[in-house]
C-alpha cells in the first residue's frame, strides 16, 4: 500500500478512481460539486433518479463520468451533514475502501479528508484515513500457508488536501498514521497467530527481531534467571506448561540520557486454558489472544521507532502458557512474588496478575517516569464496558487523564474506572498477604487493585483490553488496540 498527499481538483485527477462524498439527502460535498460542475450536472442527474440518497455506509460506483480525467468516480454516502462526526467519517472512509475491494481500481484519489468533522482537524482526518485504510486491507496470513493472496483493490491512495499550504501538515499526519498502522499490523499479526506457533519463545524471537531492525537493547531472561530474581509468582503460572517461560526486556533509548524512561508492560500469556481452574471449552480457542497486551506493547514500540520519537522507553513482557498439568498451580497454593508479598492462588485462571506483578516489581530498577501495563485481564471488564472502551485504572490522576486523552485523540478509547481502597478488602486472604481473586463483584476493579499493590514506587496505570483486543464471531481477529492510544500517549510525552 502506497500513500501520498496532494492538492488538486477532483475532475483533473487521472487516477483509476476518485472518491467523493454525498450527504443525505443528495447534498454534494465540495469535491462532488466540482465534479458535478465539470460534468454538466451528471452527478445530480444520477442522484435525482434515486440511485443514491447519501445514507451513511452506502456507495455508488460510476464509470466514465463526463468532464473528468479519471476512470471512475466513487460516491460515498455520508449521512446527514449535521450529524457528521468522527464515527461517520470513519465509516465513510471504511466504506470507500471496501467498495473498491476486488475491483480494478488500484490507484485512487480520495477527497474525503476535506470533510469537516467537529473538533477534528485535517491532520486527524488524514491520520485516521491512513490507519483505517491499512486496517481494512489487512489480511492475516499464516506463516505455513503459501497461498499468495492476489487481492485486487486499492493499492495506492492519494489523499487530497483542500489547500496547497496544507501539504506539509498532511505529510506529517501521513507519516504518523503509517507508523501507527505498522504497529497495529504487528500487534494484529502476533495476536492472530495460533498458540502452537506464537509461544513465549516465538515472542522472544520477535522481540529480538525488532531489536535488530531498530537498534534496540534487548534481553531475554530464562527460567533460571527468573528464579534468581525471585519471580515466584510468574514462575508458578508457567509450571503447568512444557514451553519455557521468557521475560523480555526491550529498551528504546532516544531521549536525553538523564530522562527517566516510560515503561510499558504487556501480558504475554500465549494460551490461557485457565490451568487447574480450567475454562469451559466453548470459545477457548480465543485464549490464544491472551498475549495481546504483549503484542500491543511491541506494536507501540515499533510505532515509536518508526516515528523516531525522542524519548526513553522500556518494554517488558512476562510470557508463558497457563495450562493444567500434574505440576501446575493448584487452588490454595501460596506463592512468593519478587516483591516479597505472598499470594494465595485461589483461582489458577486469574494468572495474568500473577505474571504482571513480578514484571511490575522488576520495572522498579528503571526508576520509571511512569509505568503502564496492558493486559487482557478480566472477563468482568467486558461485562462492564463491552467492546468499545478499554478499562483504565491508575494510581495517579494526571497519568490516567493523559491516557484517556490519548485514547480520545487516537479514537482508540479507554474509560476510567475506580480504584478505591474500599475494593482492596475483597483481596484479603487468611493465609497470605493477598488473594489472587476478589469475588464476582467488580472483577476488573479488584484485578487492578491486586496490581496496585505492586505499583507503590511509581506512577502507574493499567489498561484492561479484554474487550477491545480482538473481535469474536464471523470477523474473528485481533484489533491491534490499544496501539493507537499508546502511540499518542508517547507522542504527547515525546513533546515534553
Ligand atoms: N485472560 C482471562 C481474561 C479474559 C477472559 C479475557 C475472557 C477475555 C475474555 C484471564 O486470565 C482470566 O481468566 N480472568 C478470570 C479472572 C477470574 C478467575 C477472577 C476471568 O475474567 O474470568
Ligand atoms: Mn485466565
Ligand atoms: Zn488470562
Amino acid at each position: 500500500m502506497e500513500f501520498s498527499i496532494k492538492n488538486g481538483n477532483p475532475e483533473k485527477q487521472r487516477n483509476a478512481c476518485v472518491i467523493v462524498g454525498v450527504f443525505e439527502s443528495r447534498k454534494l460535498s465540495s469535491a462532488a460539486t466540482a465534479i458535478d460542475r465539470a460534468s454538466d450536472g451528471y452527478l445530480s442527474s444520477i442522484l435525482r433518479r434515486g440511485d443514491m440518497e447519501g445514507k451513511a455506509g452506502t456507495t455508488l460506483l460510476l464509470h466514465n463520468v463526463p468532464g473528468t480525467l479519471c476512470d471512475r468516480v466513487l460516491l460515498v454516502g455520508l449521512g446527514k451533514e449535521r450529524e457528521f462526526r468522527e464515527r461517520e467519517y470513519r465509516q465513510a472512509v471504511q466504506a470507500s475502501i471496501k467498495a473498491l475491494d476486488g475491483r480494478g481500481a488500484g490507484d485512487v484519489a480520495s477527497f474525503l479528508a476535506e470533510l469537516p468533522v467537529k473538533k477534528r482537524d485535517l491532520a486527524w482526518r488524514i491520520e485516521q484515513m491512513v490507519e483505517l485504510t491499512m486496517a481494512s486491507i489487512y489480511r492475516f496470513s499464516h506463516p505455513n500457508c503459501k497461498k499468495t493472496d492476489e487481492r485486487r483493490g486499492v493499492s495506492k491512495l492519494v489523499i487530497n488536501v483542500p489547500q496547497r499550504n496544507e501539504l506539509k501538515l498532511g505529510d506529517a499526519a501521513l507519516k504518523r498514521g503509517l507508523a501507527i498502522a505498522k504497529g497495529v499490523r504487528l500487534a494484529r499479526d502476533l495476536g492472530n497467530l495460533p498458540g502452537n506457533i506464537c509461544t513465549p519463545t516465538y515472542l522472544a524471537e520477535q522481540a529480538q527481531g525488532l531489536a535488530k531492525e531498530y537498534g534496540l537493547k534487548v534481553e531475554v531472561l530464562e527460567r533460571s534467571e527468573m528464579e534468581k530474581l525471585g519471580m515466584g509468582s510468574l514462575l508458578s503460572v508457567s509450571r503447568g506448561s512444557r514451553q519455557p517461560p521468557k521475560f523480555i526486556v526491550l529498551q528504546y533509548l532516544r531521549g536525553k540520557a538523564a530522562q527517566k524512561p516510560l515503561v510499558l508492560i504487556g501480558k504475554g500469556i500465549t494460551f490461557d486454558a485457565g490451568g487447574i481452574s480450567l475454562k469451559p471449552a466453548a470459545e477457548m480457542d480465543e485464549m490464544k489472544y491472551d498475549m495481546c497486551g504483549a503484542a500491543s506493547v511491541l506494536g507501540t514500540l515499533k510505532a515509536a521507532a518508526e516515528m523516531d520519537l525522542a524519548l526513553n522507553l522500556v518494554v517488558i513482557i512476562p510470557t508463558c502458557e497457563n495450562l493444567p498439568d500434574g505440576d501446575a498451580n493448584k487452588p490454595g497454593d501460596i506463592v512468593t512474588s519478587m516483591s516479597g508479598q505472598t499470594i494465595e492462588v485461589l483461582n489458577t485462571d486469574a494468572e495474568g496478575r500473577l505474571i504482571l506483578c513480578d514484571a511490575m516489581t522488576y520495572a522498579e530498577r528503571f526508576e520509571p517516569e511512569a509505568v503502564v501495563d496492558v493486559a487482557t485481564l478480566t472477563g468482568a471488564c467486558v461485562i462492564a464496558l463491552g467492546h468499545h472502551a478499554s478499562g483504565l485504572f491508575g494510581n495517579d490522576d494526571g497519568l490516567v487523564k493523559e491516557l484517556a486523552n490519548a485514547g480520545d485523540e487516537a479514537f482508540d478509547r479507554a474509560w476510567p474506572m475506580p480504584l478505591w481502597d474500599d475494593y482492596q478488602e475483597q483481596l484479603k486472604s487468611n493465609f497470605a498477604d493477598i488473594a489472587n481473586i476478589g469475588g464476582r463483584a467488580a472483577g476488573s476493579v479488584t484485578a487492578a487493585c491486586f496490581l496496585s499493590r505492586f505499583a507503590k514506587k511509581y506512577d502507574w496505570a493499567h489498561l484492561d483490553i479484554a474487550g477491545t483486543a480482538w473481535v469474536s464471531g464471523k470477523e474473528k481477529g485481533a484489533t491491534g488496540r490499544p496501539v493507537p492510544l499508546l502511540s499518542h500517549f508517547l507522542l504527547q510525552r515525546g513533546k515534553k
Side-chain angles (χ1 to χ4, degrees):
M1 189 75 196
E2 266 178 57
F3 294 92
S4 56
I5 304 285
K6 199 175 160 183
N7 164 253
N9 300 327
E11 70 279 11
K12 300 220 174 99
Q13 306 306 309
R14 295 177 179 278
N15 308 68
C17 186
V18 166
I19 301 171
V20 298
V22 179
F23 289 107
E24 203 177 334
S25 311
R26 298 183 232 153
K27 180 169 186 289
L28 300 177
S29 62
S30 67
T33 306
I35 292 188
D36 195 45
R37 278 207 201 105
S39 64
D40 267 336
Y42 184 77
L43 294 192
S44 12
S45 76
I46 283 186
L47 295 182
R48 238 178 284 120
R49 280 182 210 149
D51 284 349
M52 188 184 205
E53 216 25 57
K55 281 205 178 3
T58 61
T59 54
L60 182 64
L61 186 60
L62 307 172
H63 292 261
N64 307 323
V65 174
T68 65
L69 300 177
C70 56
D71 303 336
R72 306 168 185 77
V73 171
L74 179 71
L75 303 182
V76 183
L78 306 171
K80 298 210 173 74
E81 193 168 9
R82 284 188 44 216
E83 291 165 15
F84 193 73
R85 294 192 190 168
E86 291 109 329
R87 220 166 79 87
E88 289 72 24
Y89 174 74
R90 287 169 52 97
Q91 231 177 24
V93 171
Q94 269 162 334
S96 71
I97 304 300
K98 240 204 211 129
L100 297 175
D101 203 27
R103 297 186 181 271
D107 154 32
V108 311
S110 178
F111 283 75
L112 296 181
E114 69 169 12
L115 302 166
V117 180
K118 227 179 253 161
K119 288 191 284 180
R120 303 298 194 179
D121 56 12
L122 179 64
W124 185 88
R125 300 190 306 262
I126 291 172
E127 187 190 312
Q128 289 284 317
M129 184 178 286
V130 174
E131 290 177 39
L132 287 164
T133 303
M134 289 278 280
S136 60
I137 62 160
Y138 174 84
R139 297 286 176 285
F140 171 69
S141 59
H142 185 283
N144 294 350
C145 287
K146 292 269 147 54
K147 203 171 64 182
T148 46
D149 191 7
E150 284 191 22
R151 277 181 61 255
R152 274 147 56 104
V154 178
S155 58
K156 261 192 192 171
L157 180 66
V158 182
I159 301 173
N160 199 84
V161 296
Q163 319 267 334
R164 281 207 65 80
N165 63 7
E166 289 166 328
L167 286 168
K168 228 174 114 191
L169 171 162
D171 271 321
L174 162 58
K175 283 216 180 80
R176 202 159 59 233
L178 252 183
I180 296 173
K182 284 181 186 171
V184 166
R185 186 172 61 195
L186 173 64
R188 292 178 80 176
D189 276 340
L190 290 173
N192 285 329
L193 282 171
N196 60 338
I197 292 182
C198 186
T199 58
T201 305
Y202 183 90
L203 279 183
E205 287 164 5
Q206 294 302 304
Q208 273 149 345
L210 267 181
K212 205 157 184 202
E213 191 177 347
Y214 295 104
L216 316 172
K217 217 159 129 184
V218 63
E219 250 183 306
V220 177
L221 307 190
E222 305 294 329
R223 184 188 279 119
S224 58
E225 292 154 278
M226 292 184 247
E227 275 165 3
K228 269 187 225 134
L229 287 164
M231 295 183 170
S233 184
L234 193 174
L235 289 171
S236 79
V237 175
S238 171
R239 290 180 73 97
S241 161
R242 305 204 186 165
Q243 292 291 336
K246 304 279 171 181
F247 192 88
I248 304 167
V249 185
L250 280 158
Q251 297 189 53
Y252 169 93
L253 305 172
R254 305 264 155 97
K256 296 201 180 79
Q259 178 71 45
K260 289 179 174 178
L262 293 167
V263 176
L264 298 179
I265 303 178
K267 171 177 172 183
I269 295 290
T270 58
F271 192 78
D272 180 13
I276 297 297
S277 313
L278 191 63
K279 285 185 182 295
E283 281 135 47
M284 205 208 269
D285 66 290
E286 295 189 3
M287 282 299 117
K288 72 175 184 180
Y289 289 118
D290 214 17
M291 37 56 70
C292 282
S296 76
V297 295
L298 289 175
T300 302
L301 181 62
K302 186 178 181 74
E306 288 278 337
M307 293 188 279
D308 206 17
L309 294 185
L311 45 79
N312 296 328
L313 177 66
V314 178
V315 161
I316 303 180
I317 298 173
T319 171
C320 68
E321 294 180 320
N322 186 28
L323 297 178
D325 179 80
D327 196 35
N329 259 344
K330 300 172 293 298
D333 283 2
I334 294 175
V335 301
T336 305
S337 65
M338 184 176 170
S339 73
Q341 297 177 83
T342 55
I343 303 164
E344 187 182 14
V345 182
L346 288 171
N347 189 319
T348 66
D349 198 10
E351 85 297 340
R353 58 198 85 178
L354 294 178
I355 68 167
L356 290 169
C357 69
D358 281 343
M360 289 171 68
T361 303
Y362 186 86
E364 289 172 4
R365 70 183 51 207
F366 297 105
E367 294 175 21
E369 178 112 325
V371 176
V372 181
D373 82 80
V374 191
T376 48
L377 202 63
T378 65
C381 192
V382 191
I383 303 302
L385 295 173
H387 301 285
H388 301 292
S390 304
L392 172 57
F393 305 80
N395 63 10
D396 180 77
D397 286 344
L399 179 61
V400 166
K401 284 215 179 82
E402 222 179 312
L403 287 160
N405 287 340
D408 187 53
E409 181 59 30
F411 215 72
D412 171 14
R413 292 173 295 183
W415 194 255
M417 302 278 281
L419 193 73
W420 303 325
D421 283 342
D422 311 57
Y423 292 97
Q424 295 280 357
E425 312 248 323
Q426 286 173 242
L427 293 172
K428 274 198 178 136
S429 160
N430 284 349
F431 303 102
D433 293 326
I434 184 172
N436 81 326
I437 53 170
R440 272 169 53 79
S444 69
V445 180
T446 53
C449 282
F450 180 96
L451 296 178
S452 74
R453 306 270 186 120
F454 301 85
K456 301 280 189 214
K457 302 223 169 104
Y458 45 66
D459 290 348
W460 155 82
H462 157 63
L463 285 162
D464 193 333
I465 57 166
T468 53
W470 75 91
V471 282
S472 310
K474 220 169 75 232
E475 301 281 308
K476 191 187 289 180
T479 60
R481 293 179 67 181
V483 171
L485 179 159
L486 292 170
S487 302
H488 274 269
F489 168 64
L490 296 182
L491 265 164
Q492 278 307 320
R493 283 274 171 152
K495 283 184 199 154
K496 276 190 186 168

